[in-house]
Every structure is written in C-alpha cells, then in structure tokens.
Amino acid sequence: MKKLLLASSLLTLAAFSLPNPPVDKKHPKATDPNTTAEVPQDHKLVIYQLMTRLFGNKVALNKPYGTIGENGCGKFNDITDKALDEIKKMGVSHVWYTGVIEHATMTDYTAAGIPADDADVVKGRAGSPYAIKDYYDVAPDLAVVVKNRMPEYEALIKRTHDHGLKVIMDFIPNHLARSYKSDAKPLGVVDLGANDDKTKAFALNNNFYYLPGKSFVVPANYNPLGPLKGPREDGKYTETPAKATGNDVFSEAPSINDWFETVKLNYGVDYVNGRKTYFSPVPDTWKKMRDILVFWAGKNVDGFRCDMVEMVPVEFWAWVIPELKKVKPGLVFIGEAYNPKEYKTYLEKGKFDYLYDKVGLYDGLRRLMTGGGTTEDITKVWKEESNGFSSHMLRFLENHDEQRIASKDFAGDAMRAIPAMTVSATLSSGPVMLYFGQEVAEPANGSEGFSSEDGRTTIFDYWGVPEHQKWLNQGKFDGAKLSPDQVKLRSFYSRLLNAASTNEAIRKGRFYELQDANNLGKEYNQRHLYAYLRYTDKQQVLVVVNFSADKTYHPTITISAEAMEAMGLSSKKFYTYTNLLADEEPRNALNLTLDPLSAYVFEIKPR
C-alpha cells in the first residue's frame, strides 16, 4: 500500500496471550545471551503472493500506458490446476490473491453496468487495487465473462482448496476510492456514506470525514496517462463537500504525493479535535466493515491480509477479529504494520495472528544484501524487536510494495537472496512469504505507465511480467523457457520452502544463535557469516549462511557445550550433518567451504 504515496483449517488464535509466553523448564536459563525464553509456536505458513491481474497474463507487448486490449490481463481462470500444482510443489500452504476486490479503473465496463472512472482520481490505467470501488464485488478485469466475475472467483477459491492450498485475500479498511458506490451489496445493506450528515466534519456514525463548504481539488500537476488522455480527464472531479484523503490529509487540496484518489474512513477518531475517540456505542463504520468481512468469509476464504492496519484504531481490530472468528474460527488475520513499538499491541490487544516484519528483519537483510549492514541486525530482531512473539511475525524479501531483489534499485542480482531468504524462512516458526516472479529473478525493468521505473512490478498498469512469463510459458506453467540459472534459483526456493514447511525443528523448534561460539574463529567473519540452531526434542537443525557476494570462507563451525546441552545432545558423541538444501552425502564434520552467497541447512543426527 505504501506505493500509493507515489504513485486455515488453521490454528485458532483468538485467545492467545503474549505477555507470559510458556517457558520450557528444560531449556537454558533466559539469561543465556544466545537465546530467549520464548517457546515457539508452529505457525509456519508458507504464503505465495500473486498479483491476480498479472499472474496469468500471456501478452508480452508491454506498451507503456497500454490498454487491457493491448497489454492483456490475467484472469481468475488463468490460475489453473497446473499452476496450483506447481505452487503447491514449492511447499506453499497459502495463496494470497492480491487485487481481487473491485477498485477504481479507467477501463470501461459500461456494458456490465460498470462505467470507467474519472481519470483525475485514478492512479494508472488499470487502477490501484487499494482504491476500492465496491467492497462487495470483484474486479471485472479478472473475469473471462464479466457478468460471471463472482462465480469465477468462487471457482478459483474452490480450485485452490482442491489442491490443498488455503486462500488469503486483501481487506482494505482505512480508505476507499472517491468514486465508491456498491452495486453488488446484498439486500438490506446500506452503502458507506449513504446516511452521513455531510454538514459535520466529524460525527460518530458518519462513515467519512468532511470539509463542509469546500470542494475537492485535483492536484494541479497530475497527469494520469502521460501523453495520452484518460476518461473524463479535465483536471476536475466533483466532490462537495470534499472528503478527507486516505493518508490522513484533512484538506480539500491534497498533493500529488498524497493518496488523493482515496478517502479516509471514519472509525470514531476525531482527528481535527485532538484525536478524541468515540468507540461507544460501536461506530457505524465498524459494523459495516465487519459485515464486509463476514461476506467474504462466507465465500470460504481462509484469511485476510489487512492493509495499513496502524491507520485504523487498534480498538476496532480488538472488536472485529473476535467477531469474525465467531463466524469462522480458523480465519487468519495478517496485518501490514511498520512500527515495531506497536507490534505487541496489535498482536495482543488487536488480536492479529501475524504482522509484517518489514521494519526489522526485511530492512536488516536488505542492508546485508546490498553490501551494507552486519549480521547484528538479525540478532537485534530476535533478541529485541520480536522477542516473545517471533512466531507471529511474517517474513519476506519481496511483495507488491517492495522493490524486486534482481532490480538495479535493490540488489541487482537475484542470487543475493539465497542467504537472506534462508534466514527469512528458518529464523523463527512464523510465516514466510514469496512474491510471484521472485523465484525466477524478475527484475521489474521498465516504466509501465503510472508506475515509474522504480524496481517494482506495477500494481497500477496492465503489464506482462517477462521473467515470470518464461515460467508461465503461455499457460503451461512448466518453466520450459527459463534459463539454467533461473531453474537453479527456482529449485533453491522450492527446496528451502519445502524444508521449512516439513521439518519439525524449523516449524516449531527453539532458537540458539552461534555467533558468540564462532566469532573468534580465524575464518569466521561474523559481519558476513551467520549461524544458528533450530531444535526440538526430536530434530536438530543447523543453519549457516554467507552474505558476502565475493568472499569465500572456510570455517569450522563450533557448536558450544551450552548449545549442545540445550539441544539435548552429548558433546562426547559423533554426529552427521545432512544438507536439506542439496542432494549431498552427509558430512561427518563441520569443516565448511562457504562460497559467496551460500546457505546450508544441516540436519544433525547421531553417527
């Protein structure tokens, strides 16, 4: 969602409590600086995020600002049994279908009762999937037969389930499109804003915030389609009184860098008057948003990735998530969050199952991947930022908001993801996520239209994703057009995610860092190398990675006596070490050759 600034049955967590995590009396004392007292919980979801509009698109024209007819568009039906089989083989448990709900677009579907939106308040020809136009409908772009768009989505949900995968979809609670009007709402549902008192800037049961006596002003320098002309584009949009803009801008004239195409929803916080809160009685917006979630839960989805959750009061989440879990106990709620100081609040009070670990592990790994930072950034994450609730933090290296690893704006080389992704997938027992195209080194080259050349795959434009299309291979999903390096990279991701999803030590094992045990080693450069253990009573795993892009190291990894004791292993016995990421003979010793950008996940067994 940040990009807008510029342009299952699962474990039921409704009652989990974070302040006093269980303590294993057999585990080393919490004073051991190499570990924590946290007892991990098995929440190793493996999520494959795909941008539904782009995933199945076979057209390779990629004309900047191209229409749907020129550049093509993926459909629900393009996500075939074969595609789901191949996704499942990678160790994936959940698919996040991004951009499903109907949003503002410049594409005209008047024949189906959905006219094109005014270009002056749409970002990109296809439109942002986070500027919702009808919470009760799906995007017509995604249907082969527009009037059958909901049945086509329902069929995709069923097809996904038939392949042993669960479905996650977006929930965008903070803002919606300026053109919002639900044509598909169920009988008896009152539309958002329909009963608002527009003479008041704030009222408890208003769904929007207003600026009485003022009219909305389109940013003067907004050019929706560059050299082309968008529908009804004239620099004007009729909205009187003006509504507050989605990123908390209480002005009738938001800037080009604001989320000017969206309006802010009112959850009972009076922003203009000191942010006073009015949560009792329950605000009307809370009830309407609950009903929307219940509607989608009724479509048999398994969870929601909730957009910009910190822009909505935590009290709403504390109320609505338990309400939804009464309807469907297995529902999972993932929150897009960016303030580490508030993580515990949104997990404990807000009842989220999982939160993004972006401002922490992602940022630290990104520094390492681009030649900066040190492995101390990783230590800070487990020791401080997520200590006590690491099982509830979602780890990733790419998503629709972030730059592609292979782009020149990020690492410039997809192989730099090997050590970082290994850490993302195995550091804790929480979820890990992969973004479509990441596994085949998609670099997001080119300026797609509204989306500038910024290292991201567009969420605003119609586009083909070239390296992903090599795996897609005109709908065969056989990877026949991939290069040997791409095949190797995809194989790495598959091995890693399968190892993470099937091995008990990674799914629910304790954690023990080995930096202190090795930092005096002549060949152990702890700035580049990182090693740790994950273990249960039944399985012990050693992870060792090298973040250096040009240096080979030859360390002998030391597992300290304290670490051996923690794992319940004897220092007097001999062990073998089997690499779960490659077909290799078991090793009898930990004399390693760590090539640049290498990663090992060893299972430890008695010899």
Side-chain angles (χ1 to χ4, degrees):
M1 180 61 211
K2 295 173 297 168
K3 174 65 178 169
L4 287 175
L5 284 168
L6 205 165
S8 41
S9 164
L10 296 171
L11 291 174
T12 302
L13 301 174
F16 82 85
S17 178
L18 293 169
N20 297 300
V23 176
D24 184 347
K25 294 181 179 179
K26 295 188 295 182
H27 188 70
K29 295 178 182 178
T31 54
D32 188 330
N34 300 297
T35 188
T36 73
E38 179 183 349
V39 178
Q41 302 168 50
D42 184 355
H43 297 312
K44 189 54 74 180
L45 284 60
V46 179
I47 301 170
Y48 188 85
Q49 182 196 2
L50 63 85
M51 186 70 191
T52 317
R53 179 198 296 151
L54 304 178
F55 181 81
N57 185 21
K58 306 177 186 69
V59 180
L61 176 64
N62 284 355
K63 174 183 176 182
Y65 298 104
T67 66
I68 190 171
E70 292 168 326
N71 282 351
C73 181
K75 310 293 183 183
F76 294 129
N77 289 1
D78 290 327
I79 306 168
T80 61
D81 289 312
K82 172 65 171 174
L84 293 166
D85 271 342
E86 295 303 314
I87 291 170
K88 176 73 172 178
K89 287 177 184 176
M90 291 190 74
V92 171
S93 60
H94 292 65
V95 184
W96 168 15
Y97 294 118
T98 305
V100 165
I101 301 176
E102 184 187 343
H103 53 271
T105 178
M106 296 187 207
T107 300
D108 192 355
Y109 290 100
T110 300
I114 307 173
D117 289 281
D118 189 321
D120 294 298
V121 287
V122 181
K123 288 182 176 176
R125 190 181 286 279
S128 166
Y130 294 94
I132 299 301
K133 185 175 172 180
D134 188 345
Y135 278 118
Y136 287 102
D137 208 349
V138 297
D141 276 349
L142 305 179
V144 175
V145 179
V146 174
K147 290 186 177 180
N148 291 338
R149 58 192 178 278
M150 188 64 80
E152 287 186 25
Y153 180 47
E154 291 167 343
L156 174 59
I157 294 171
K158 182 180 184 303
R159 192 159 62 248
T160 306
H161 287 157
D162 288 346
H163 287 269
L165 295 161
K166 294 187 182 295
V167 173
I168 293 171
M169 65 180 291
D170 291 292
F171 175 56
I172 299 89
N174 175 67
H175 52 267
L176 39 67
R178 292 200 177 270
S179 59
Y180 186 89
K181 185 181 187 301
S182 177
D183 300 315
K185 60 185 182 294
L187 190 66
V189 171
V190 177
D191 220 356
L192 285 156
N195 293 334
D196 281 7
D197 182 349
K198 298 180 182 180
T199 66
K200 295 181 179 178
F202 169 84
L204 172 64
N205 286 318
N206 274 2
N207 299 132
F208 302 118
Y209 297 97
Y210 296 93
L211 294 106
K214 297 180 179 180
S215 298
F216 173 73
V217 180
V218 174
N221 50 346
Y222 183 47
N223 187 7
L225 291 179
L228 307 175
K229 199 77 169 175
R232 303 200 299 282
E233 180 186 344
D234 59 4
K236 300 175 183 177
Y237 182 76
T238 302
E239 182 182 282
T240 304
K243 301 183 184 78
T245 291
N247 59 319
D248 298 355
V249 174
F250 288 79
S251 166
E252 76 279 12
S255 79
I256 190 74
N257 292 321
D258 289 317
W259 305 349
F260 65 85
E261 83 284 20
T262 69
V263 293
K264 173 88 174 174
L265 280 162
N266 169 18
Y267 282 83
V269 180
D270 189 351
Y271 283 81
V272 178
N273 292 300
R275 294 180 177 249
K276 291 181 181 178
T277 58
Y278 301 86
F279 300 150
S280 183
V282 174
D284 184 69
T285 300
W286 290 26
K287 298 174 185 175
K288 283 186 165 65
M289 301 310 275
R290 173 200 59 195
D291 293 347
I292 289 163
L293 285 165
V294 169
F295 172 82
W296 291 110
K299 300 293 183 186
N300 208 24
V301 302
D302 303 289
F304 298 94
R305 178 271 188 186
C306 303
D307 190 69
M308 299 302 291
V309 299
E310 294 158 314
M311 296 187 78
V312 173
V314 69
E315 289 83 358
F316 166 71
W317 300 112
W319 176 81
V320 80
I321 291 176
E323 286 281 297
L324 264 292
K325 291 192 176 185
K326 291 175 187 175
V327 174
K328 188 173 182 180
L331 280 172
V332 165
F333 283 81
I334 301 169
E336 179 192 16
Y338 297 104
N339 183 359
K341 293 179 180 178
E342 294 297 325
Y343 288 167
K344 190 173 181 180
T345 300
Y346 277 80
L347 289 168
E348 180 184 314
K349 183 178 179 180
K351 306 296 183 185
F352 273 95
D353 299 309
Y354 309 108
L355 297 178
Y356 272 34
D357 190 353
K358 194 275 179 190
V359 185
L361 191 62
Y362 170 90
D363 283 352
L365 292 174
R366 179 173 176 128
R367 286 189 289 272
L368 282 161
M369 294 166 71
T370 53
T374 73
T375 59
E376 291 176 4
D377 290 335
I378 304 172
T379 302
K380 182 179 179 180
V381 169
W382 68 258
K383 186 173 282 191
E384 299 175 25
E385 288 185 351
S386 62
N387 190 354
F389 49 85
S390 67
S391 300
H392 300 281
M393 299 306 293
L394 169 65
R395 272 68 191 255
F396 56 84
L397 292 182
E398 286 188 2
N399 63 44
H400 67 279
D401 280 321
E402 307 301 340
Q403 291 169 324
R404 293 286 192 175
I405 296 161
S407 75
K408 60 181 176 15
D409 302 274
F410 189 166
D413 178 3
M415 302 307 285
R416 285 180 180 257
I418 288 176
M421 193 66 192
T422 301
V423 171
S424 292
T426 66
L427 188 69
S428 78
S429 60
V432 61
M433 184 167 73
L434 179 73
Y435 189 39
F436 87 107
Q438 178 182 343
E439 72 274 32
V440 293
E442 173 56 43
N445 291 333
S447 178
E448 300 98 335
F450 177 81
S451 190
S452 58
E453 187 164 6
D454 59 2
R456 296 175 177 87
T457 294
T458 180
I459 65 170
F460 304 98
D461 309 281
Y462 298 111
W463 203 249
V465 184
E467 302 309 312
H468 166 73
Q469 286 180 327
K470 293 178 182 178
W471 174 70
L472 169 68
N473 192 17
Q474 292 298 310
K476 295 177 184 177
F477 297 99
D478 59 5
K481 296 183 179 180
L482 296 175
S483 71
D485 283 346
Q486 287 175 309
V487 171
K488 180 180 177 182
L489 182 66
R490 194 172 187 278
S491 175
F492 157 74
Y493 275 101
S494 182
R495 280 186 174 269
L496 173 65
L497 296 178
N498 274 289
S501 63
T502 58
N503 283 273
E504 177 183 280
I506 301 172
R507 290 194 66 94
K508 60 181 180 180
R510 306 290 303 235
F511 171 87
Y512 199 102
E513 188 182 83
L514 294 176
Q515 297 298 85
D516 283 351
N518 289 277
N519 63 8
L520 297 179
K522 185 178 179 181
E523 279 283 324
Y524 196 90
N525 181 343
Q526 68 171 0
R527 182 184 180 89
H528 293 156
L529 307 184
Y530 193 68
Y532 54 93
L533 301 163
R534 297 292 311 284
Y535 63 93
T536 64
D537 290 342
K538 297 179 180 179
Q539 187 185 35
Q540 298 80 35
V541 164
L542 166 66
V543 180
V544 186
V545 300
N546 177 12
F547 285 99
S548 175
D550 54 18
K551 293 182 180 179
T552 297
Y553 294 98
H554 302 276
T556 297
I557 300 298
T558 297
I559 301 177
S560 65
E562 292 84 358
M564 293 294 285
E565 181 183 355
M567 292 190 292
L569 301 181
S570 171
S571 300
K572 297 179 181 179
K573 293 184 178 180
F574 296 97
Y575 298 90
T576 62
Y577 307 90
T578 303
N579 184 13
L580 300 178
L581 301 185
D583 295 323
E584 300 173 350
E585 288 297 315
R587 300 163 182 255
N588 291 323
L590 289 172
N591 305 315
L592 304 182
T593 296
L594 298 179
D595 293 325
L597 305 176
S598 60
Y600 290 92
V601 179
F602 293 113
E603 183 176 13
I604 306 170
K605 288 185 175 182
R607 201 185 304 177

